[in-house]
Amino acid sequence: MAVDYAVIVLYLAGMLAMGWWGMRRAKSKSDFLVAGRRLGPVMYSGTMAAIVLGGASTIGGVGLGYQYGLSGAWMVFTIGLGLLALSVFFSARIARLKVYTVSEMLDLRYGGSAGIISGVVMWAYTLMLAVTSTIAYATIFDVLFGMDRTLSIILGGAIVVAYSTLGGMWSITLTDMVQFVVKTIGVLLLLLPIAVIKAGGFAAMKAQLPDDYFAPLGIGGQTVFTYVLIYSFGMLIGQDIWQRVFTARGDKVARLGGTAAGTYCLAYALAGAVIGTAAKVLYPHLGSPDDAFATIVKDALPVGVRGLVLAAALSAVMSTSSGALIACATVANNDIWARVKSVAARRRPSVEEAADAGRAPGTEQAGAAAEEHDEVRGNRIFILLMGLAVIVIAIALNNVVEALTLAYNVLVGGLLVPILGGLLWKRGTAAGALASVAVGGLTVVGLMVSLGVLANEPIYYGLIASLVAYVAVSLATKPTDPEVLAAWRARLAGRTDGAAEDDPEEEATGDTAVAVARVLTPSSVTGRA
């Protein structure tokens, strides 16, 4: 294993080095959170594919192939379908908004009053998404070094937290591109053909396994439908995904780059299912389906290649973990903590006015630079804090698929309707959005408690309840202010006014409430702290 160890150690050292290099580029809030909104099609498509294909897609996808055969591809396949739908139908409009979080989009659309609750829901989702990837470290490091599960989580988590904290989205983008290449070589070009050959080819696999392993819906039609609701729709509204859309340098990049990434996901889904099916032939009596990936890598691959494939698995885990981590920290800092600070700031306006009155000429630019630096530092602190929380929770939990299902159920049940409703239905109101989030989220959580996390009913009834609440309350309340809708349509079209035209980044770096402050009364918005 010496050669394999060397490959892994070099890979991990490279991740930290890129984190350090990314730190030198992260000079502003825009650089740190959305890579300066400057990614071209190659970087964008590679990093988008990297973030959506994580530990659950790799280890869990192979595990589903081991358990159900080729139909085990459906979980990852629906992720790819969701990414394709996002890229084709919504990504261009989302990129033109020039915001940082999903909650800021809701504030723009509904007039600055829907973001706090959605922020809490999105924070919970991104936190659990980061936890699921961190849990997967244990499996990989156990195969590599025979490490204790807790130590494995701490080691892998510490590396991700380190490079994410150093350079933010620039570090994550650079590491994701490396991870995308390693994952493509390790899983698609090496593990897939070697696993099929070791199992004797497709004819031998079909002869040794039940017919259900090769049926398109062997996993169950209802399960496939649930995957579509959870994962396909989840791709449309997740903060971790939207934050990558915000990194695109234009509409065309977001649309075409995302389409390429979604297509890649479809191929990756099928590859994982085939690898899992081959593992079932080679090792028919494993204790857990999630052990299939590590087992086939350890026993079926030659020295050196084994290290590269395990590095590919680490790539999958780390890319999703780092993307979810920065999304979690962005929501916690910009959607939750910033609002708390703004409430406190409104209580002492006289102090702030006095400070403004006594400010010497020429200090405004220096003050803006200091504020930008403070925002970068604040986001670094939140990434560190959220990273520590993720490591602690991952140590306490164990099941990757359950944790991922919990995260997506809460996200889709609580936020799908108000987000898509805001994009597609102008009659939706802030009251309707808040009712939808509350009713849908509570319904999903309550049914998961009573029926189990993996039950199909929570997401079915949660979405129905969310939709009914959104439509009924929106129709029963006063329509959204026409000026708010006009400002929203202008942003969707990529148009800004006044200062925003002179300095586009001014719109991007402020709280979303600042963007609608021109058309709303001061008492109805959340100002910058």
Side-chain angles (χ1 to χ4, degrees), residues 122-418:
M122 189 63 74
W123 173 79
Y125 155 72
T126 52
L127 182 70
M128 291 306 299
L129 185 61
V131 166
T132 61
S133 296
T134 305
I135 290 173
Y137 296 144
T139 301
I140 300 170
F141 279 99
D142 177 58
V143 174
L144 286 174
F145 308 114
M147 279 187 181
D148 173 74
R149 177 180 182 276
T150 298
L151 183 59
S152 299
I153 290 174
I154 293 173
L155 175 61
I159 293 171
V160 170
V161 172
Y163 73 70
S164 301
T165 302
L166 286 172
M169 187 60 81
W170 268 122
S171 294
I172 293 170
T173 296
L174 295 171
T175 55
D176 277 359
M177 277 306 299
V178 175
Q179 290 160 354
F180 171 74
V181 172
V182 172
K183 187 159 45 181
T184 300
I185 295 173
V187 175
L188 296 183
L189 302 183
L190 292 177
L191 182 58
L192 174 61
I194 291 174
V196 173
I197 292 171
K198 289 280 186 180
F202 284 104
M205 291 164 57
K206 194 166 185 178
Q208 296 184 54
L209 295 172
D211 291 341
D212 287 348
Y213 267 71
F214 301 91
L217 295 178
I219 198 171
Q222 187 179 37
T223 299
V224 174
F225 181 64
T226 302
Y227 284 161
V228 171
L229 290 182
I230 295 176
Y231 299 119
S232 295
F233 286 124
M235 287 294 104
L236 299 180
I237 59 175
Q239 168 67 26
D240 53 321
I241 309 302
W242 278 40
Q243 199 157 343
R244 294 308 174 98
V245 175
F246 300 150
T247 66
R249 71 181 178 207
D251 298 358
K252 188 175 181 180
V253 170
R255 185 182 298 109
L256 297 182
T259 301
T263 304
Y264 178 89
C265 291
L266 302 184
Y268 199 88
L270 184 59
V274 171
I275 293 168
T277 304
K280 183 66 175 179
V281 173
L282 296 170
Y283 318 102
H285 303 297
L286 293 178
S288 168
D290 283 344
D291 294 336
F293 179 87
T295 302
I296 195 169
V297 169
K298 183 178 180 180
D299 294 345
L301 300 184
V303 172
V305 173
R306 180 170 50 204
L308 183 60
V309 173
L310 287 171
L314 278 175
S315 298
V317 173
M318 287 183 168
S319 58
T320 297
S321 182
S322 58
L325 178 59
I326 194 172
C328 179
T330 302
V331 171
N333 188 20
N334 293 272
D335 292 336
I336 301 175
W337 176 241
R339 295 171 192 272
V340 174
K341 290 196 301 180
S342 69
V343 171
R346 285 201 298 270
R347 294 177 180 174
R348 51 179 187 276
S350 59
V351 176
E352 294 176 356
E353 290 170 2
D356 290 339
R359 184 175 294 139
T363 61
E364 184 176 347
Q365 185 174 359
E371 181 182 0
E372 192 75 13
H373 176 73
D374 286 343
E375 287 180 333
V376 173
R377 182 178 63 183
N379 281 292
R380 278 199 175 104
I381 292 172
F382 268 87
I383 288 178
L384 180 60
L385 293 176
M386 293 301 102
L388 294 175
V390 165
I391 291 172
V392 171
I393 296 172
I395 291 172
L397 296 179
N398 191 35
N399 190 300
V400 174
V401 175
E402 282 193 4
L404 189 67
T405 302
L406 173 65
Y408 273 97
N409 275 352
V410 172
L411 172 72
V412 174
L415 292 181
L416 177 68
V417 170

Side-chain angles (χ1 to χ4, degrees), residues 442-458:
L442 290 174
T443 301
V444 166
V445 172
L447 289 176
M448 282 193 295
V449 171
S450 60
L451 301 177
V453 173
L454 297 180
N456 293 322
E457 289 80 4

Side-chain angles (χ1 to χ4, degrees), residues 93 105-106 109-110 416-426 428 470 485 488 492:
R93 285 187 286 176
M105 166 264 170
L106 291 173
R109 168 60 180 82
Y110 295 111
L416 177 68
V417 170
I419 291 173
L420 293 187
L423 289 169
L424 301 173
W425 189 41
K426 67 179 182 179
Y470 181 71
L485 288 178
W488 164 253
L492 278 179

